[in-house]
Structure formats: C-alpha cells, structure tokens
Amino acid sequence: MSRNPVITRGSGVPVLLVHGWAVDHRIMLPLDESFASHPGGWRRIYVDLLGFGSSVDRPSISHADDIAADLDDVIDREIGSRPFAVVGSSFGAGLARRLAVRRPDQVLGVAMLCPTAEPIASRRLPEARAVEVDENFIEGLAEPDRDQFTAVTTRQTIDVWRRFEQYVLPGLRAADPDVVERIRPALSRSPETVGPRYPGPVLMMVGRNDTVVGWRDQLDLAEHYPNATVVIVDRCGHNVHLEHPDLTHHHLHTWLDSLPTR
C-alpha cells in the first residue's frame, strides 16, 4: 500500500493535483481557489509524491517510474474507478500525461503547468533572463533562498517571493536529497509513445522564460492532444501560477468549463 499522504479539500468530482520535482503538494495549493470558486464542485486531492514532502520515508526508489506506479496506487485508493480530472506541474505534468494515456476513459481532462518534455538532454531552453527585479529586496534575501528563487523566477518581486517562500521553499527543504540527486526526473518512456492521442480537454501553460523545461518542445508535445489549448506566457519562468496567478486562474476556469460532466 502506498504511504503517500493525501490532503483533500471540498467535494464533488475528484481533481488530482500533482506537484513537480523536489517540491511537494504545497506548490499546488495556490490553485485551490480556482476550483473552490468554480460552480462545478470539485474534490481537490493533493498528494506528496514518493520521496517528497511527507513521503520521504519510502525506501528503494530506483526510477521515476516507481513514483508513477505509486501514484497509481494513490488513485486506486482515493478515487477508484470514478472519473477525475488531473492538474500537473513540471514533472507532475509528465505524470498527468501518463495518466491520460493509461486511463483515457477515466481522465476527464488534463491541465499542465510548465510541463516537462522528453528527452531531458535535448531540451531547447531559452537564455536566463529576469524581466522584473526588485534589486534592493533580492539583495536582502539569504543567499541560499535568493539562489533558489532567482534560478526559476523571471518576475523577481516581493509578491512573487512571498508565494515562493510559502508554497515552494517548504517542499524543497522536505525533499529526500537522495532521491533528488540520484533519480532522473523523467519516465522511462514518453507517455505519448505508448498509447493513442488523448481526446479530452487539455490546457497547457508554458513560460517563455522558463529555463528549467523550456517551451518550444511543449509545442511539439501538444500535437498529441487534438483538444489542447496552449498558452505561452510572456515574462514568466518555471512557476506560472506563482508569477501570474490571475492569468492562471482565468485559464483554469475556462478549462474546467470545457470538461465533460459525469
């Protein structure tokens, strides 16, 4: 049985929120209001992936595929055979793609925020560029915090920092360093190569200044999703929902409106 702790909020149709690499479920919490305020009624399921957050005590993780298999256990336990939607960020979006391929009749729709694209070694990444910097504030941060923040953030302002401090740093500090350093954050096979094209509603949001996963490869990825809406967000790094929360909220609501009701 999976040891992954799960936090649930609300009631209604299940929606699984899957975080990215080296963080935990807290990075997804800023999205909660988008679901809570939507008239559809959503049971939000936040999970700490194996090796991250409160799930660091699970031994013998040898590959990202182990994390994906454990997520399947969580779904079987928390959702069963009910239809559900899934939202994934970064590596979590890769897992969301996998779920869409493996469970096309169960997954109502997929939202991807700054998704990974395979293979890692050939990613086309933009040059690092900060577009909005509060230099006095940034210089006042402790060096480790400043380095982690500026490495993935294009809008380096106080308001973005506060969201980063609340929702990202705790997960970074809680991650199992052995997993982070030893395991590659990539599945053994690209999900799109193991099944037919996923026909459900898909939202893909990417940051034009994302130096972690880029945005060009994701446009190729979108070809596998015939009902995909792709949003390239200017002045945006790797955490689109932290740098542009209002825009993310708008597109999530539009995506939720498009989901089939069951």
Side-chain angles (χ1 to χ4, degrees):
M1 178 178 291
S2 167
R3 302 182 195 177
N4 293 55
V6 170
I7 294 175
T8 62
R9 294 182 175 180
S11 61
V13 178
V15 55
L16 182 71
L17 294 104
V18 188
H19 65 81
W21 197 255
V23 289
D24 66 9
H25 77 276
R26 283 169 283 199
I27 197 173
M28 307 300 285
L29 291 177
L31 303 174
D32 198 71
E33 178 57 28
S34 294
F35 297 93
S37 62
H38 189 268
W42 300 94
R43 176 175 177 251
R44 289 89 70 192
I45 303 171
Y46 297 90
V47 59
D48 279 347
L49 294 172
L50 202 60
F52 304 107
S54 299
S55 294
V56 296
D57 61 346
R58 181 71 178 265
S60 66
I61 305 173
S62 62
H63 196 280
D65 290 351
D66 298 329
I67 299 172
D70 197 69
L71 183 61
D72 282 328
D73 291 343
V74 173
I75 295 169
D76 291 341
R77 185 180 73 239
E78 296 292 330
I79 300 175
S81 60
R82 293 184 64 192
F84 69 98
V86 58
V87 181
S89 172
S90 192
F91 172 71
L95 297 179
R97 289 159 45 209
R98 175 182 177 274
L99 293 174
V101 169
R102 290 172 60 89
R103 304 171 183 246
D105 296 330
Q106 187 179 9
V107 174
L108 298 173
V110 180
M112 312 178 198
L113 306 181
C114 299
T116 55
E118 296 81 14
I120 293 176
S122 60
R123 285 177 181 167
R124 294 172 289 176
L125 302 177
E127 294 183 4
R129 183 171 71 94
V131 300
E132 186 177 352
V133 183
D134 185 333
E135 294 184 0
N136 290 333
F137 170 71
I138 292 297
E139 288 302 318
L141 292 176
E143 185 174 355
D145 293 347
R146 181 173 66 244
D147 290 346
Q148 290 178 316
F149 179 58
T150 58
V152 297
T153 307
T154 296
R155 295 186 57 241
Q156 298 170 10
T157 62
I158 294 176
D159 62 322
V160 179
W161 160 255
R162 286 174 176 163
R163 290 189 284 271
F164 186 89
E165 181 183 33
Q166 180 176 358
Y167 298 113
V168 180
L169 280 182
L172 291 173
R173 292 165 178 164
D176 184 340
D178 175 66
V179 173
V180 173
E181 296 171 8
R182 181 171 55 86
I183 307 299
R184 295 178 71 251
L187 300 171
S188 58
R189 298 182 66 181
S190 175
E192 290 74 20
T193 66
V194 298
R197 299 200 301 173
Y198 173 70
V202 170
L203 169 65
M204 181 185 296
M205 298 187 70
V206 295
R208 188 175 292 276
N209 309 108
D210 187 341
T211 58
V212 179
V213 302
W215 60 272
R216 293 178 177 87
D217 298 310
Q218 286 75 4
L219 299 185
D220 295 337
L221 189 66
E223 295 294 328
H224 296 272
Y225 300 93
N227 291 308
T229 296
V230 181
V231 183
I232 304 174
V233 184
D234 194 23
R235 301 168 61 85
C236 182
H238 188 53
N239 292 313
V240 60
H241 64 301
L242 301 185
E243 294 197 49
H244 296 277
D246 292 341
L247 184 65
T248 304
H249 173 83
H250 166 77
H251 285 292
L252 279 176
H253 261 226
T254 301
W255 171 71
L256 288 172
D257 289 341
S258 72
L259 297 185
T261 56
R262 298 188 188 179

